[in-house]
Amino acid sequence: MDPFGRTIDYLRLSVTDRCNERCLYCMPENYRPWTQRGDHLSADDIVRIAATATELGFRKFRITGGEPLIRPDIVDIARRIWDLAGVQTLGLSTNALLLPKLAEPLKQAGVRSINISLDTLDPGGYQHLTGRRLEAVLAGIDAAAAAGFECIKLNCVLLRGINDDQVLALAEFGSARAMPVRFIELMPLAPGGPLDDRHFFSVAEAMARLSRHDALDPATTKPVGHGPARYYRLRRSGGVVGFIGAVTCADFCADCNKLRLTADGKLRPCLGRHGEIDLRQVLRAKTGDTLADAIALPAAILEAIANKPEHHGFAEDFEMQRPMVAIGG
Ligand code: SAM
Ligand code: SF4
């Protein structure tokens, strides 16, 4: 339980800050990924942190990045986390480019649900936003469907003047495949690039756009997942859409249940605040005192829970210190 009565039992594990796309909203134009291999936590480090988290009551885990599938040991990491006693769900977020090769091994390793970024169905728009080909992503989505995950969700970051005309097309694409589509408000996590406040498009506007075509009924059951989306069922098509109003929804943080581990070993109590606890340092430090060494890691995780703020600081002159690609979405 954190100081605001929220149960914290969900850990997002970023396994790399590298990516094979360069989404305008996530990776600043001049971003240079960490070059030193030693900057990234090893598979053993990640599994040790996840195991300690399970001992503290964490039950839900999601692997993310950067693009987690570019890590050569990703299937091994997923399997080792799934095998930990106490893990109830394991999800993974990806841009889908490498799913044709990896969907089946990840399913076998224990991954239950997959979230896939898909911001537009327009090939030119996709190329502009991400630097890659839409066709390759659609092949990855098909591979995920064929592998039979419990749930596949599609994530779209809303961008005025760039993809706000895609809301209906994406909802229909998801409905046809029984994949919930989540519309996410742009957070200020890739500064210095071409996107700014003028591109912000709220979830309320997206809902209004959709409801001109189909009625939105609040969903009575939530798709598999533990995030902050509010879900609705489209009355005519039967599809499910979710809205993540990180910036405009006043009660967005009220049910927050998670911590985030960055690929360089920093534990973040909140996406929109800068407090971080350096777990890599804790893992590497050896005091010689066996008891002190044994309790250092659980103590650091408990400290992050105790440090969780009541709400993020996006509305309070938030200045990005780490871009999204280096935090983990
Ligand atoms: N590479 C994977 C992917 O694209 O899904 C996983 C990492 S990505 C950082 C995770 C999620 O963060 C994606 O759904 C992405 O759309 C979202 N995201 C990235 N930057 C964002 C921003 N500035 N505002 C809101 N969501 C963002
Ligand atoms: Fe890469 Fe995902 Fe960020 Fe796009 S959103 S740059 S795919 S990490």
Side-chain angles (χ1 to χ4, degrees):
M1 197 78 88
D2 79 353
F4 303 96
R6 300 171 295 198
T7 300
I8 311 301
D9 62 356
Y10 181 13
L11 184 57
R12 294 233 181 134
L13 301 157
S14 172
V15 296
T16 181
D17 76 325
R18 293 164 190 264
C19 191
N20 46 6
E21 290 196 338
R22 45 140 197 80
C23 301
L24 298 181
Y25 49 73
C26 178
M27 187 188 288
E29 261 167 4
N30 52 359
Y31 184 67
R32 295 273 168 274
W34 304 312
T35 47
Q36 301 295 319
R37 270 183 81 81
D39 284 345
H40 282 93
L41 295 181
S42 67
D44 285 349
D45 292 335
I46 294 167
V47 174
R48 191 169 152 210
I49 291 168
T52 306
T54 61
E55 285 157 17
L56 296 171
F58 282 74
R59 295 289 171 260
K60 302 150 193 161
F61 292 82
R62 170 166 296 278
I63 297 171
T64 183
E67 175 47 44
L69 302 194
I70 64 175
R71 237 185 112 129
D73 52 1
I74 190 64
V75 175
D76 182 47
I77 291 174
R79 181 178 301 109
R80 290 175 65 189
I81 292 173
W82 178 244
D83 283 348
L84 294 171
V87 173
Q88 281 172 0
T89 68
L90 178 60
L92 184 140
S93 297
T94 174
N95 58 29
L97 286 177
L98 296 174
L99 279 179
K101 198 174 98 200
L102 288 170
E104 189 55 44
L106 287 167
K107 170 77 176 27
Q108 295 304 328
V111 173
R112 320 311 284 174
S113 68
I114 294 261
N115 289 357
I116 296 175
S117 284
L118 182 67
D119 301 309
T120 175
L121 290 166
D122 173 63
Y126 192 87
Q127 175 86 39
H128 169 67
L129 255 181
T130 71
R132 298 299 294 259
R133 283 172 40 249
L134 175 67
E135 214 176 279
V137 173
L138 298 182
I141 293 174
D142 288 345
F149 292 99
E150 270 172 33
C151 185
I152 301 167
K153 297 192 207 105
L154 305 174
N155 284 342
C156 165
V157 178
L158 294 162
L159 302 165
R160 185 181 304 281
I162 296 182
N163 69 354
D164 58 312
D165 60 340
Q166 292 286 307
V167 171
L168 179 63
L170 285 166
E172 286 180 342
F173 179 90
S175 297
R177 288 162 184 76
M179 297 176 184
V181 181
R182 285 126 43 99
F183 296 99
I184 307 173
E185 285 180 347
L186 175 67
M187 293 176 268
L189 292 169
L195 299 182
D196 57 35
D197 290 350
R198 286 168 302 176
H199 295 99
F200 184 81
F201 191 83
S202 70
V203 290
E205 288 175 277
M207 288 178 78
R209 280 263 162 105
L210 269 181
S211 48
R212 274 188 233 140
H213 302 273
D214 205 344
L216 292 168
D217 297 320
T220 43
T221 51
K222 230 180 152 183
V224 177
H226 311 282
R230 303 277 148 83
Y231 288 97
Y232 294 80
R233 192 169 285 282
L234 292 162
R235 203 174 292 168
R236 184 172 44 78
S237 73
V240 174
V241 287
F243 298 93
I244 302 184
V247 178
T248 59
C249 295
D251 61 348
F252 184 75
C253 306
D255 301 322
C256 186
N257 56 356
K258 60 181 160 300
L259 298 182
R260 286 184 158 82
L261 179 70
T262 68
D264 61 341
K266 308 290 192 298
L267 194 59
R268 279 180 81 103
C270 176
L271 182 60
R273 300 261 180 201
H274 299 306
E276 293 180 344
I277 291 173
D278 191 346
L279 295 193
R280 195 172 55 154
Q281 203 178 38
V282 173
L283 288 171
R284 305 281 182 267
K286 289 278 170 286
T287 63
D289 175 337
T290 325
L291 180 62
D293 288 346
I295 62 171
L297 187 55
I301 297 174
L302 290 173
E303 187 185 343
I305 295 176
N307 287 354
K308 257 190 91 66
E310 190 170 13
H311 48 76
H312 64 63
F314 290 135
E316 302 160 20
D317 291 340
F318 177 82
E319 274 189 34
M320 197 278 314
Q321 289 173 359
R322 252 177 204 273
M324 185 65 140
V325 72
I327 298 174

